[in-house]
Amino acid sequence: MTRKIASPRLLTIRDAAEEAGVCTRTVRRWIKAGLLPIRRLGGSERLVRIEENVWRAFLREA
């Protein structure tokens, strides 16, 4: 029997911004400053997501 490993939920920059009550520019600044790690999807420079567990930890520490 194999175990299925759950993938972390991925948030868009917009989702994260709405949840934190900030604009998307602010989230992008946090990413650019290296404060918030992201995952690039499909090798794209533009398609990025934030792991929900990373986002929650970031909000707790902020």
Side-chain angles (χ1 to χ4, degrees), residues 44-60:
S44 170
E45 284 295 312
R46 296 182 53 90
L47 190 57
V48 298
R49 295 292 183 266
I50 304 163
E51 290 185 19
E52 184 178 31
N53 57 342
V54 171
W55 177 242
R56 301 277 177 245
F58 176 80
L59 290 177
R60 279 192 303 270

Side-chain angles (χ1 to χ4, degrees), residues 15-62:
D15 292 338
E18 287 176 2
E19 188 173 314
V22 299
C23 68
T24 56
R25 257 197 230 153
T26 300
V27 176
R28 290 181 189 281
R29 280 190 214 113
W30 292 335
I31 293 167
K32 187 174 182 178
L35 300 172
L36 185 59
I38 57 168
R39 290 180 61 182
R40 295 194 186 280
L41 302 181
S44 170
E45 284 295 312
R46 296 182 53 90
L47 190 57
V48 298
R49 295 292 183 266
I50 304 163
E51 290 185 19
E52 184 178 31
N53 57 342
V54 171
W55 177 242
R56 301 277 177 245
F58 176 80
L59 290 177
R60 279 192 303 270
E61 294 173 11

